[in-house]
Amino acid sequence: MKAAPPFASIQEMAVFCHQWLNETLMSLPEGRNFSVALSGGSTPAALFDALVALEQEKTAVGIPGLPWHVIHFFWGDERCVPPDHAESNFRMTREHLLGPLGIRDGQIHRILGEREPVSEAERYATHLNAVLPLVDGFPCFDLIVLGLGDDGHTASLFPGHEQLFDTDQGCQAVLHPVTGQARVTLTGSLINRASTVAFLVTGASKADMVKTIKQQASLHERLGTLTAPLLPAALVAPVSGRVCWLLDEAAAGLHP
């Protein structure tokens, strides 16, 4: 993914993402699918709404839409709740993206949050191994979209989960450190085998954490292991070297 400027609105961000997806999908070899692991949260929901609106605007005037049929959808993490639960990442994506676009069930690979977490982490890892190409023994996504928490977590990799960036497991059952809620997450080891990783962050409340993560990641890249522990998001360093920050102007610190 090419470098992205800070965006003045979620609509501008959607235009950038739509253009990038179009260029990427059109360049795929015949018969090749595109795999993306999505994030939950209010920012992805807003971006999905803007992407759907943009797609509908284009097709309404006879401009071909994206070849959505070649995209297979996965998740970077999921809360251990039923798929119709208000906190389900799958439900949010279905309502804001998959449903409006008419995505077929065969393109959807959800984490089954209603199942026992440890066995579901094992099942999802096995599924990913079966349907995705492998890099260093880990499933390789074409794109993983990540959010950024106020505490520096990403996916469901919270402070204290740093060991999950150095594991032979692709998925893990974890507990939210504050609420104790069970979740299933991709590990840092798997995330770092993706072809491209994109952080999606909006809002002035995230500006200081974005700056902190970028500083920590830069130091880690230049100096290697540091004496001070790094926040999980700063440990995202895909072997491909392709990390893109999709920020609005507020999250980029351009507004007081």
Side-chain angles (χ1 to χ4, degrees), residues 83-135:
D84 59 351
H85 194 281
E87 294 185 357
S88 167
N89 289 339
F90 165 74
R91 174 181 169 173
M92 182 278 288
T93 309
R94 179 186 62 195
E95 292 179 350
H96 291 270
L97 185 72
L98 306 178
L101 292 175
I103 301 299
R104 297 177 293 108
D105 288 345
Q107 296 170 243
I108 300 170
H109 307 259
R110 75 178 182 91
I111 299 172
L112 305 179
E114 66 273 25
R115 294 191 175 180
E116 193 280 322
V118 173
S119 61
E120 176 55 17
E122 294 173 352
R123 184 203 68 83
Y124 203 59
T126 298
H127 178 65
L128 298 182
N129 282 330
V131 300
L132 296 175
L134 301 181
V135 171

Side-chain angles (χ1 to χ4, degrees), residues 71-83:
I71 303 179
H72 280 243
F73 296 89
F74 302 78
W75 279 263
D77 69 328
E78 181 59 278
R79 299 173 177 90
C80 292
V81 296

Side-chain angles (χ1 to χ4, degrees), residues 30-47:
E30 184 71 24
R32 166 79 151 77
N33 291 323
F34 183 86
S35 59
V36 56
L38 298 173
S39 172
S42 58
T43 296
L47 179 63

Side-chain angles (χ1 to χ4, degrees), residues 1-22:
M1 182 176 284
K2 58 189 177 182
F7 299 98
S9 67
I10 201 74
Q11 288 74 25
E12 283 190 8
M13 189 183 295
V15 170
F16 174 90
C17 293
H18 196 278
Q19 291 174 341
W20 183 84
L21 275 173
N22 186 61

